[in-house]
Amino acid sequence: MDSHRYTRRDFVKAMGLGLAAFAVPGCAVAPQSRNDKSKRPNIVLMMADDMGYSDIGCYGGEIHTPNLNALAARGLRFTQFYNTARCCPTRASLMTGLYPHQAGVGHMMEDKGYDAYRGELNNRCVTIAEVLKQAGYSTYMSGKWHVTKSIQPDGDKHNWPCQRGFDRFFGTIHGAGSYYDPNSLTRDNTQIVPDGEDFYYTNAIADNAATFIREHKTDNPFFMYVAFTAPHWPMHALPQDIAKHKGRYDEGWDALRAERHKRMIETGIVKSQWKITPRDSAVPPWSQAEDKQWFARRMEVYAAMVDCLDRGVGRIVSQLKKTGRFENTLILFLADNGGCAEEYGSSGAIKPNPAEPTVLKPMGKDELQTRMQPTVTRDGRPVRTGHGVMPGPADTYIAYGKPWANASNTPFRLYKHWVHEGGISTPLIAHWPAHIKAGGSPAVRLAGKLCHQPGHLIDIMATCVDVAQAKYPSEYKGRAITPMEGRSLLPAFDNKPVEREAIYWEHEGNRAVRQGKWKLVSRHPGGWELYDLEADRTELANLAEEYPEKVEQLKTMYESWAVRCGVQPWPVNKPAQNKRKKS
């Protein structure tokens, strides 16, 4: 079998399923004694960047992800888990157990003059690393940080990982950059340059994470945060990885969306009554698309990036097994937002113009890369953008674009930035062999379980605190700490409900609240829409006119939450006189 072409039988075989897939809310477990701290698990929290809901194999994708599939086949897959629709707000929420505005990152890395929009983690929140370190955990991080606006090597570092609870750090402080020459590359508190001509950031993130596991020699458990940048633009992938996916996308995005949707229904990820959303009106039918070879190449590179990420996950898992820690390690894997429709670098004329000679100074081997988009590669080639540039190599810098993002978010509406389901829905795989057990008949024991309970990033802090038998502080280093917002997912691991009132979102004026099956959502600057997500999770039947009382109830709840969390009307304008106290 070609490794990236799946039939239904191939797919369910790779997942460890029989042809009848089983969907149950949780699974039978062997409960852990709540007062036996010697049994506390290691925790490995892994996150992809700008990856859509349906990209990986165990959520319906055709991309070759055997390592994630294996974790899903022996663990739990949450089908209704949510992020915050954007990279740095998600990271702030994930790390603190708060809504991003409460942590000071209501938008991006810019101070907009309000405490909820400082572009920095504030001192009224604590990170998972800070909390678990006080409970005796070692703490490691490899990958993208992106919760501070201070990235300069000689600048303010109070919000860098080692100042926010991590014992060891390898990765980037900034939010995006070349995979061959990433900007703000840092080890602990010192910025560094890539080590070797074969440096590729996804591999480096995974390899450093595996090294942290191998070098962890103490008896105390550890918490490790692995924040991959793949598959965020630019579309950079190694030639051998791209070659594996050659030709896979020649049939285009329409065929891909239909193929994924069918597989998602067959495996229970989505319900058959949830109709796939229409193709984005800005995207032409594949049959009418020009430059098909270029479009196909962009998705081939994207798939290669996810494929490489999956192999990195495999190396981390392998190191857990080699060190005897695999059985009692809770592994969580998710994504920071939905597929990204941004057309970064992929429109307009090719720049620099290949017909004009370009002389640029190559960087010295010890020079730090500080640009998000470098102008030149380390060996002196000008970095190219524009319509028609074939992505993959270091001298290119483009995104995969809206048509493929529409496919990545199958079957949902919209993308990163927006809080309709396409922007906020993420896979969440939870794998913990010492606790999450298969049960029932032999057929069910082979099935990867599906958990259909809604959850949100704010729940990750609560879950870590719960399983680590730690204590979330009311004060930290003499400062009052905002109470965490989330709920522990441990009951879901035990096949029990996770009780909550509601879940809320706001990003760039896009707003939403979900309570039970009901979701009230608005795409800025539009009005409110109401959906019954049990019947219509693809948000195609707006019930706002039919249920005005429900709209008013949820709107009132949202407005109360927004005031409590410091949400400002979009666009956020700096106050005329900013008399804020420093956070």
Side-chain angles (χ1 to χ4, degrees):
M1 180 185 73
D2 186 331
S3 64
H4 57 257
R5 297 181 186 275
Y6 284 93
T7 63
R8 180 188 177 204
R9 185 176 296 275
D10 294 329
F11 175 76
V12 295
K13 182 179 178 182
M15 274 295 297
L17 306 177
L19 284 178
F22 294 84
V24 295
C27 56
V29 300
Q32 175 182 314
S33 170
R34 301 307 297 149
N35 58 8
D36 184 359
K37 289 197 173 185
S38 68
K39 301 297 185 182
R40 294 184 300 167
N42 305 301
I43 303 170
V44 177
L45 173 59
M46 296 187 281
M47 187 162 66
D49 194 350
D50 281 16
M51 190 187 78
Y53 183 74
S54 69
D55 280 325
I56 58 177
C58 51
Y59 278 79
E62 73 298 328
I63 301 174
H64 190 53
T65 55
N67 295 292
L68 289 170
N69 292 357
L71 293 175
R74 296 170 181 85
L76 263 177
R77 279 171 294 163
F78 287 75
T79 64
Q80 299 193 65
F81 204 77
Y82 293 112
N83 49 46
T84 70
R86 194 75 176 276
C87 37
C88 39
T90 278
R91 288 156 214 280
S93 187
L94 178 67
M95 279 293 97
T96 65
L98 305 176
Y99 287 104
H101 308 77
Q102 294 173 301
V105 190
H107 187 234
M108 299 290 283
M109 301 291 91
E110 177 189 0
D111 189 342
K112 294 183 176 292
Y114 296 92
D115 285 345
Y117 297 84
R118 295 299 177 195
E120 294 266 7
L121 290 184
N122 60 38
N123 63 11
R124 295 178 299 284
C125 66
V126 283
T127 68
I128 298 173
E130 288 171 325
V131 175
L132 267 57
K133 193 170 184 177
Q134 290 198 328
Y137 273 65
S138 297
T139 54
Y140 309 123
M141 180 183 171
S142 184
K144 170 178 168 177
W145 184 233
H146 204 201
V147 285
T148 177
K149 55 182 177 287
S150 179
I151 67 169
Q152 297 301 322
D154 55 352
D156 180 8
K157 298 179 181 178
H158 81 279
N159 261 329
W160 284 26
C162 289
Q163 282 66 42
R164 295 306 304 238
F166 287 96
D167 296 324
R168 299 178 68 182
F169 170 65
F170 168 85
T172 44
I173 304 299
H174 194 33
S178 169
Y179 286 73
Y180 303 99
D181 186 17
N183 69 77
S184 69
L185 188 65
T186 301
R187 185 172 299 284
D188 297 330
N189 279 321
T190 303
Q191 290 200 357
I192 59 176
V193 298
D195 55 350
E197 295 180 0
D198 60 349
F199 181 93
Y200 181 70
Y201 192 29
T202 303
N203 286 336
I205 290 171
D207 292 343
N208 276 270
T211 296
F212 292 155
I213 296 170
R214 185 178 68 249
E215 295 180 353
H216 179 78
K217 302 299 184 183
T218 66
D219 292 332
N220 59 307
F222 64 81
F223 166 72
M224 185 165 66
Y225 175 35
V226 185
F228 290 102
T229 53
H232 192 292
W233 48 257
M235 298 296 102
H236 281 167
L238 301 171
Q240 62 270 28
D241 291 341
I242 299 171
K244 291 169 58 178
H245 301 272
K246 182 66 176 174
R248 180 60 181 86
Y249 300 101
D250 288 354
E251 295 182 3
W253 40 74
D254 294 322
L256 186 65
R257 292 184 78 226
E259 171 193 334
R260 288 187 177 188
H261 189 223
K262 180 181 178 183
R263 199 156 45 227
M264 296 170 87
I265 292 171
E266 290 173 345
T267 52
I269 297 294
V270 301
K271 296 180 181 179
S272 59
Q273 62 263 39
W274 297 343
K275 303 303 180 185
I276 191 170
T277 52
R279 181 196 325 105
D280 190 298
S281 59
V283 175
W286 178 254
S287 60
Q288 298 176 18
E290 299 179 355
D291 302 318
K292 286 185 173 63
Q293 184 180 4
W294 177 62
F295 275 115
R297 170 62 177 256
R298 292 163 75 187
M299 188 62 193
E300 289 167 5
V301 176
Y302 180 91
M305 296 168 76
V306 176
D307 185 329
C308 183
L309 179 156
D310 179 81
R311 295 199 310 277
V313 170
R315 295 197 296 280
I316 294 169
V317 168
S318 177
Q319 194 59 238
L320 288 169
K321 291 178 177 178
K322 287 178 182 177
T323 55
R325 299 184 174 101
F326 182 65
E327 291 296 314
N328 196 31
T329 295
L330 170 60
I331 298 174
L332 299 169
F333 176 86
L334 70 162
D336 68 342
N337 43 249
C340 177
E342 297 165 4
E343 292 285 352
Y344 189 101
S346 60
S347 58
I350 294 177
K351 298 176 182 178
N353 189 328
E356 299 175 359
T358 303
V359 179
L360 293 170
K361 174 183 175 291
M363 293 183 68
K365 66 177 183 177
D366 296 324
E367 288 186 77
L368 297 175
Q369 172 58 260
T370 58
R371 294 174 180 266
M372 185 180 75
Q373 179 189 326
T375 56
V376 64
T377 63
R378 285 209 163 268
D379 59 1
R381 291 171 292 153
V383 173
R384 297 171 293 136
T385 60
H387 186 96
V389 169
M390 289 292 186
D395 65 340
T396 67
Y397 208 99
I398 69 171
Y400 81 147
K402 182 175 289 188
W404 296 119
N406 198 187
S408 284
N409 295 337
T410 300
F412 302 130
R413 286 176 61 187
L414 293 175
Y415 315 94
K416 170 184 177 179
H417 295 264
W418 291 277
V419 297
H420 284 73
E421 295 291 285
I424 58 176
S425 297
T426 172
L428 174 65
I429 300 170
H431 182 277
W432 184 10
H435 189 96
I436 299 174
K437 302 286 187 181
S441 70
V444 173
R445 282 200 296 271
L446 290 173
K449 304 300 183 293
L450 300 178
C451 178
H452 299 301
Q453 296 191 59
H456 187 277
L457 294 168
I458 55 175
D459 299 334
I460 301 298
M461 167 72 89
T463 305
C464 291
V465 168
D466 195 1
V467 303
Q469 300 178 44
K471 182 180 180 181
Y472 184 89
S474 58
E475 291 188 1
Y476 183 76
K477 295 183 177 180
R479 301 187 302 269
I481 298 301
T482 305
M484 63 181 169
E485 294 277 343
R487 300 290 183 268
S488 172
L489 299 176
L490 191 59
F493 300 169
D494 293 343
N495 199 20
K496 297 175 183 176
V498 177
E499 303 291 347
R500 70 174 78 245
E501 179 198 30
I503 304 172
Y504 300 89
W505 294 265
E506 190 281 334
H507 183 67
E508 297 183 336
N510 303 301
R511 305 167 291 165
V513 52
R514 177 169 178 175
Q515 183 183 51
K517 71 175 184 177
W518 294 104
K519 180 181 176 185
L520 188 70
V521 59
S522 171
R523 178 181 181 179
H524 183 76
W528 289 108
E529 305 164 12
L530 179 69
Y531 298 99
D532 174 352
L533 295 191
E534 285 186 3
D536 174 35
R537 194 176 166 205
T538 49
E539 300 170 308
L540 295 176
N542 181 4
L543 302 176
E545 292 187 4
E546 189 173 346
Y547 295 98
E549 298 89 353
K550 179 59 67 175
V551 170
E552 199 59 34
Q553 175 203 349
L554 294 176
K555 178 184 174 184
T556 299
M557 290 173 61
Y558 172 84
E559 290 172 346
S560 176
W561 169 84
V563 169
R564 180 169 65 84
C565 292
V567 175
Q568 296 294 322
W570 188 258
V572 177
N573 297 313
K574 288 188 177 183
Q577 290 186 341
N578 183 7
K579 297 182 180 179
R580 68 178 178 92
K581 292 184 290 185
K582 285 193 173 182
S583 61

